[in-house]
Amino acid sequence: MKKAVLLGDSIRLIGYGSKAAEMLKNDCEVWQPDDNCRFAKYTLRMLFDCKEHIDGADVIHWNNGLWDCSDLFGDGRLFTPLEEYLDNMLRIADILLSYGKKVIFATTTPTHPDYPYTKLENIQRYNEALVPKLREKGILINDLHTTMLAHRHDGLAEDQIHLNDLGTELCARQVADSIRSAL
């Protein structure tokens, strides 16, 4: 049976991950870590520990970004400066391309307009800077950002960042479809 791997922050872990795996159960075996992949540098470190689970996958689907482009302390400095984010993400991309046959990156989802730590313009700036560089490497793009942009008010949980049932359903279906297409 074919194998897919799901990597990503809490949008995957407590959002689309379980539902997408369930949707894919007849198409492929799905592995995903029990840990939240958090920010890009954390994911980069995780790849060392998880290599045996990822290596040889037919498709690797991954997301990172919400932590990275957040202003957690209100001082105007994002958690991960853009150049560092790009460097880490491109390194992750190269490693994943060496581990799996196909790699899909899911763009960073928007937060609710009232969410105080992560602004839409930062999310879009990080997505816009990264996506063309990933495409150059042959990585497929799953545009969860655009899907959820239309659901910033009705697709997010009360915490204004994570997916609610509607957001989970929308993203899980799109993730499953993108993996099926890549298989």
Side-chain angles (χ1 to χ4, degrees):
M1 182 173 250
K2 301 245 181 203
K3 180 180 178 182
V5 171
L6 298 176
L7 300 172
D9 59 26
S10 55
I11 298 304
R12 174 208 48 99
L13 182 66
I14 62 173
Y16 67 75
S18 296
K19 191 156 194 82
E22 178 66 25
M23 291 174 174
L24 289 164
K25 70 181 179 187
N26 294 325
D27 302 299
C28 60
E29 168 194 346
V30 177
W31 181 85
Q32 56 187 315
D34 294 332
D35 194 5
N36 179 346
C37 297
R38 297 181 178 105
F39 46 94
K41 198 159 203 169
Y42 189 91
T43 300
L44 181 59
R45 173 60 182 89
M46 262 182 90
L47 294 180
F48 179 80
D49 294 330
C50 297
K51 181 181 181 186
E52 69 181 81
H53 299 289
I54 303 169
D55 204 19
D58 294 286
V59 179
I60 301 168
H61 185 282
W62 133 79
N63 76 281
N64 276 117
L66 280 171
W67 287 60
D68 296 282
C69 64
S70 292
D71 177 1
L72 299 174
F73 303 101
D75 60 3
R77 295 179 65 188
L78 301 187
F79 186 74
T80 308
L82 180 58
E83 288 307 314
E84 181 182 341
Y85 174 72
L86 293 173
D87 185 57
N88 288 329
M89 293 295 278
L90 295 174
R91 190 168 176 202
I92 291 167
D94 288 340
I95 293 166
L96 293 179
L97 286 166
S98 76
Y99 286 178
K101 296 176 182 144
K102 291 186 183 175
V103 178
I104 303 168
F105 174 73
T107 55
T108 301
T109 54
T111 58
H112 189 277
D114 297 333
Y115 187 69
Y117 305 109
T118 310
K119 300 297 177 204
L120 181 62
E121 57 268 15
N122 290 328
I123 294 169
Q124 290 174 328
R125 186 165 51 98
Y126 277 49
N127 280 335
E128 289 167 5
L130 179 62
V131 166
K133 293 176 183 305
L134 293 177
R135 280 195 172 120
E136 286 175 14
K137 291 180 175 291
I139 290 178
L140 305 169
I141 304 300
N142 181 6
D143 192 3
L144 293 182
H145 178 81
T146 298
T147 298
M148 289 306 298
L149 195 56
H151 296 281
R152 287 177 78 196
H153 294 280
D154 66 348
L156 297 174
E158 285 184 32
D159 67 5
Q160 301 180 329
I161 189 169
H162 295 104
L163 306 174
N164 65 14
D165 290 344
L166 173 64
T168 296
E169 180 68 30
L170 291 168
C171 288
R173 185 181 331 276
Q174 190 165 317
V175 167
D177 288 346
S178 72
I179 290 171
R180 278 190 202 102
S181 292
L183 289 171

